[in-house]
Amino acid sequence: MTVSHTLPASTADLLAHTGHIGLVQGISAGHFTDARRPTGCSVVLCPQGAVGGVDVRGAAPGTRETDLLHPSNLVQQVHGIVLAGGSAWGLDAAGGAVRWLEEQGAGLDIGVGRIPLVPAAVLFDVMMGDMRIRPDAAAGYAACQAAGKLRPAEGSVGAGAGAVVGKLFGHGRAMKGGIGTASFTVDGVTVGALVACNALGDVYNPYTGELLAGARQADGKALLDARQALLAGQEPRPVLAGSNTTIGVVATDARITKAQAHRLAVVAHDGLARAINPVHTMSDGDSLFALGTGQSGKQLGMMTLSTLAAEAVAVATARAILLARPMPVAGQPILPCASDLRQPGL
């Protein structure tokens, strides 16, 4: 069995990871970032069609067209996935992706034309600047125009532009979130992930357990470790339901069925659980999509595919945080990013 990547371990290894979702055959990815405030959207496109699945674990999701992905339902393939900021308003970005895909001749053939099928999920970033600015159909279209096979930008861009993590003890003690990507290849089959992390909880290195970013001490100068604080009996601040969420896409070029795509989406959440704590809370809308293009022409056992999916999601989540950068917002304190609080040598 040939493996193209070794597992990262240290923070430096996570930053040096070379895999990305664009290495999956039949997949392209792109972003639109709104310069007027930190928000945006990201797309994962498969114009030739891919079997799809989804698993929604968070209790406060914002999604579009997830029911069609159920293994027992009629539609077998979709043509793209949209991840967006802007909370419920951000779902409008999917309309722009549908229009762009139609112009490329992609979609379900209905005789008189084609209908591109584009499920979507959104995260809550409207506390960052003017909430009246949010991704719309034009933003989704622009993200499609920018999509390609090269490594997509990471950090504070696209759906991760306005993402914030570590809000258990208040937004003022939180840190900057973002979007990241990773992939692993075994025997000519690649599994890649694109994850936008706007979690309520803290984010960790999934291999070493190092706390990367999250709730800060009251003075804002050091990380608190929300897990330890909760175990010690500290009361979290009241959290607005749905004001957090980690969303993402896992894609493979293996030949898989729709039922297997669903299972990949399910096990991919293991990657979130390795990198985020707490995760899947009542205030998060955590949702992961899975795509299978089949373009490698190969099959790989579900045990291996599932392992690759969870690893890709875990690394992508950590990279989303490590590559995030502070985003100035008029009238608001600048939230630090992971590199601002990282100890020298780590």
Side-chain angles (χ1 to χ4, degrees):
M1 181 172 287
T2 302
V3 182
S4 69
H5 305 285
T6 57
L7 288 177
S10 68
T11 298
D13 290 336
L14 288 169
L15 287 169
H17 180 77
T18 58
H20 61 89
I21 197 167
L23 296 176
V24 178
Q25 296 179 61
I27 292 294
S28 60
H31 306 297
F32 169 79
T33 305
D34 198 320
R36 297 173 296 169
R37 84 165 179 94
T39 192
C41 60
S42 304
V43 297
V44 176
L45 302 176
C46 43
Q48 296 181 348
V51 295
V54 68
D55 187 39
V56 179
R57 293 284 179 90
T63 58
R64 162 188 160 130
E65 290 198 316
T66 52
D67 285 350
L68 63 80
L69 295 173
H70 191 278
S72 68
N73 287 345
L74 175 66
V75 169
Q76 292 301 302
Q77 293 191 326
V78 297
H79 307 93
I81 303 291
V82 170
L83 310 175
S87 192
W89 293 280
L91 290 172
D92 285 348
V98 168
R99 181 165 64 88
W100 186 88
L101 285 162
E102 182 186 25
E103 291 174 0
Q104 314 312 308
L108 176 67
D109 189 351
I110 58 169
V112 295
R114 292 183 176 272
I115 302 177
L117 301 174
V118 184
V122 293
L123 55 79
F124 183 101
D125 63 2
V126 297
M127 301 294 286
M128 297 285 283
D130 186 348
M131 69 167 288
R132 294 170 297 181
I133 300 171
R134 52 251 188 171
D136 55 13
Y141 190 95
C144 293
Q145 289 180 306
K149 294 290 296 177
L150 298 178
R151 183 183 203 100
E154 297 171 89
S156 303
V157 297
V164 176
V165 300
K167 291 160 276 189
L168 271 167
F169 295 91
H171 191 276
R173 290 168 61 180
M175 294 178 65
K176 191 68 188 69
I179 193 166
T181 186
S183 72
F184 295 92
T185 301
V186 171
D187 281 353
V189 169
T190 299
V191 179
L194 183 71
V195 177
C197 185
N198 185 56
L200 175 68
D202 293 350
V203 181
Y204 296 80
N205 181 322
Y207 300 105
T208 67
E210 175 197 349
L211 178 57
L212 301 176
R216 290 174 290 147
Q217 300 277 359
D219 63 7
K221 298 180 180 179
L223 292 168
L224 173 66
D225 193 328
R227 174 168 50 186
Q228 290 296 332
L230 291 172
L231 290 172
Q234 290 191 39
E235 287 290 329
R237 288 274 300 274
V239 179
L240 178 65
S243 58
N244 312 277
T245 288
T246 298
I247 52 180
V249 181
V250 175
T252 181
D253 45 29
R255 292 167 53 196
I256 60 174
T257 66
K258 194 177 178 186
Q260 289 173 323
H262 169 72
R263 178 50 51 181
L264 276 187
V266 170
V267 299
H269 278 276
D270 292 351
L272 293 187
R274 293 172 194 165
I276 303 170
N277 192 302
V279 70
H280 304 141
T281 75
M282 292 296 290
S283 295
D284 285 284
D286 302 330
S287 304
L288 292 179
F289 296 95
L291 298 171
T293 69
Q295 290 198 16
S296 71
K298 298 181 179 181
Q299 294 177 306
L300 204 61
M302 279 302 293
M303 183 66 72
T304 303
L305 282 176
S306 297
T307 300
L308 296 176
E311 296 300 326
V313 167
V315 174
T317 303
R319 287 182 60 86
I321 299 309
L322 290 170
L323 294 170
R325 293 294 177 263
M327 301 289 282
V329 178
Q332 297 180 6
I334 296 177
L335 295 179
C337 61
S339 61
D340 292 331
L341 299 188
R342 195 179 308 143
Q343 299 176 22
L346 289 180

